[in-house]
Amino acid sequence: MPEPMKDKPWLFRTYAGHSTAAASNALYRGNLAKGQTGLSVAFDLPTQTGYDSDHILAKGEVGKVGVPVCHLGDMTALFDQIPLDQMNTSMTINATAPWLLALYIAVAEQQGADVAALQGTVQNDIIKEYLSRGTYICPPAPSLRMITDVAAYTRQHLPKWNPMNVCSYHLQEAGATPEQELAFALATACAVLDDLKTKVAPEDFPEMVGRISFFVNAGIRFVTELCKMRAFVELWDEICRDRYGVEDEKFRRFRYGVQVNSLGLTEQQPENNVYRILIEMLAVTLSKNARARAVQLPAWNEALGLPRPWDQQWSLRMQQILAYETDLLEFDDLFDGNPAISRKVDALKDGARAELKLLDGMGGAVGAIDYMKSRLVESNAARIAGIEKGETVVVGVNRWQSGEPSPLTAGDDAIMIADPKAEADQLRRLSAWKSARDGQAVTDALTALRDAARNGTNIMPPSVACARAGVTTGEWADVIRSVFGQYRAPTGVSNTPSNRTEGLDDIRAEVDAVSARLGRRLTFVMGKPGLDGHSNGAEQITARARDCGMAIHYQGIRLTPAEIVADAIEKEAHVIGLSILSGSHIPLLTEIMDRLRAAGMDHIPVVAGGIIPDEDAERLRRIGIARVYTPKDFQLNRIMRDIVALADPTVRAAE
């Protein structure tokens, strides 16, 4: 018998970027040499939120969660010796997506590449930024305009480029149920396409529908996740056909990339994460009719800190073994006609359709941002409660906690430490760049950008001109902010207690007793310093404090240390909570403690949470942080009791 024809494997990617453009370039070229077939670029928080590395808000954040890209020189260094017309590049960038794409185009021009041959994706999904990730800049309406400006520009100039990656990944990280993930992502895609219809000719619109891609999450309940992906495929086909009249099946195809779930990676017994990652990958590869077009896997130790090149290699090898050593790619879809799969897919579709109908009644995704945010906070609270109660088993966390020490985490170099000199190096090169460029060319380019933003013409041509002229990320974004204004997204945390107060009676009584001794209600102020937009932890701590009877105050993400200290003083906080997941805890918390001391308010206890190595936790305690929590501290009620004890005047007097 002839050998069966094998399908082409999906793109193998690794989400990477850190320290500097040069260091990230070395990592990319190393990963490509190991068999990676596409790039997935992680940008640092200043780049994602439109600030140069020398901005006050960027202090401590430069190069931490990704690579800093301030100008064309940085982008050129990032892709040195990587021919862009032969590469498929995914750039995880949203609010500043027009700018980063403009820089990418300018680098391709420098390389002499045919810009029309460029292949890749800008994520460019600003709606989910308001709901779950927090790197937005502008209000929803102008943000939506810039998304579709990028799409219209790529239709004309970059025919192989995906102009938007509808991202449900962070929705699941924020607690979305499968039905919510389906509905919220599809509603976002509809909002974009409804706007895009006004910017492209009717005959070109079906092709543009076909170029919208998705970026999803795959969790540990892999049968449900597999069914979710089949539901995505069928619902998207239905929407494209019925809502938009797309007749060509290839333009109705659900095209998606995936990173499997990082939320479920555990600090405890982290070696177990290898199995979690593998199982989650199966959800997006086993079903041929719903198979991902690109897969990137987290590293087993990401709950501990930055993964090393070896850790990323291990995740890459996982993909290669499945694609090349097994016979998976030789078969038709393994699940067609399976009654159990069909029932689950139908149930997910019904749930998603009901949610979509509700969202449509609110004006679509843009009009329903407040509603979707509150739903995610509530769903995440239910998820966490299930883990706390043991109803949802997490091996090594709430069941079978005892085990042998992991030799994989031994040694000083078990995780990669960001180069402490990288920020200073970036600042030096940024200063040199600004000094060497043509100032008049920069001024002229920014004037043209401002005019386009004001008069409604496409934002991309003047952005590309800015890139060529040497404009910086912060300068580009400052123009956007000045024309469109800034925005503060809803927190999703109301002051009204939820109905999940079962089992909190003892803590509520303790809060009442301490409040009586204090002479007023125990007041807890939660702060999110720096540019970190991962707000799930802050939201859940604040919501639980509210349900325990505390007076809460939480303004949301992206506050300066000065703003947090002023807020705590104004609200007469009894305890301050601080949440940072970007790795910038040392500089930011040090500044907050210094400001509290300078204001004579260092008697207010401060608790902090984040991905904080043990040595950093000890350092934070030495500067006065009362408690340090990491992902292993999943019992929120234990944290609540700590807060109550820290606020209790009798306990503090005894100390």
Side-chain angles (χ1 to χ4, degrees), residues 91-130:
M91 292 192 285
T92 303
I93 201 77
N94 296 284
T96 52
W99 173 241
L100 271 296
L101 179 57
L103 288 173
Y104 192 84
I105 290 168
V107 171
E109 291 173 343
Q110 284 184 344
Q111 291 184 353
D114 178 5
V115 170
L118 298 180
Q119 296 185 69
T121 305
V122 273
Q123 191 168 98
N124 203 21
D125 177 357
I126 201 65
I127 303 297
K128 63 93 178 173
E129 295 300 314
Y130 304 130

Side-chain angles (χ1 to χ4, degrees), residues 197-399:
K197 284 182 77 170
T198 67
K199 297 186 178 182
V200 298
E203 62 270 20
D204 295 325
F205 184 69
E207 184 218 341
M208 293 309 300
V209 173
R211 284 170 60 189
I212 298 293
S213 60
F214 291 75
F215 187 74
V216 307
N217 200 329
I220 195 66
R221 292 171 58 81
F222 84 99
V223 177
T224 296
E225 296 292 284
L226 183 149
C227 292
K228 179 189 76 182
M229 298 320 307
R230 290 174 68 96
F232 254 134
V233 168
E234 294 176 21
L235 285 168
W236 184 239
D237 183 77
E238 185 180 296
I239 288 169
C240 293
R241 184 188 66 239
D242 299 345
R243 182 174 178 131
Y244 297 111
V246 178
E247 296 179 1
D248 192 328
E249 285 188 9
K250 72 180 180 183
F251 294 146
R252 303 200 306 259
R253 191 174 300 142
F254 184 81
R255 300 177 311 117
Y256 76 98
V258 64
Q259 170 155 325
V260 307
N261 192 289
S262 294
L263 178 69
L265 301 182
T266 63
E267 183 180 358
Q268 304 94 316
Q269 300 180 19
E271 62 277 5
N272 296 340
N273 293 329
V274 175
Y275 307 123
R276 294 185 176 106
I277 292 166
L278 175 60
I279 290 168
E280 289 164 353
M281 178 173 59
L282 296 179
V284 295
T285 53
L286 285 182
S287 179
K288 178 178 179 178
N289 293 340
R291 184 171 293 148
R293 293 171 67 92
V295 176
Q296 59 192 45
L297 303 179
W300 67 280
N301 57 351
E302 285 190 21
L304 306 177
L306 282 174
R308 300 157 297 184
W310 183 88
D311 305 313
Q312 293 190 333
Q313 173 185 299
W314 199 6
S315 288
L316 174 62
R317 294 294 182 250
M318 236 185 265
Q319 295 200 56
Q320 292 168 325
I321 289 168
L322 180 63
Y324 292 112
E325 292 193 21
T326 78
D327 56 356
L328 173 66
L329 299 179
E330 298 173 11
F331 291 89
D332 293 335
D333 197 289
L334 307 177
F335 302 96
D336 282 353
N338 182 304
I341 296 293
S342 297
R343 282 194 302 272
K344 184 63 176 176
V345 170
D346 288 343
L348 290 172
K349 286 163 60 179
D350 288 344
R353 286 193 192 101
E355 194 76 56
L356 278 166
K357 185 176 180 181
L358 192 62
L359 296 175
D360 274 340
M362 296 178 180
V366 173
I369 286 172
D370 283 30
Y371 163 79
M372 291 190 288
K373 179 64 177 179
S374 64
R375 289 274 284 165
L376 290 175
V377 172
E378 289 300 306
S379 295
N380 205 18
R383 181 190 68 83
I384 290 171
I387 295 172
E388 285 183 296
K389 295 174 183 176
E391 296 165 357
T392 300
V393 174
V394 182
V395 174
V397 173
N398 62 2
R399 188 85 64 87

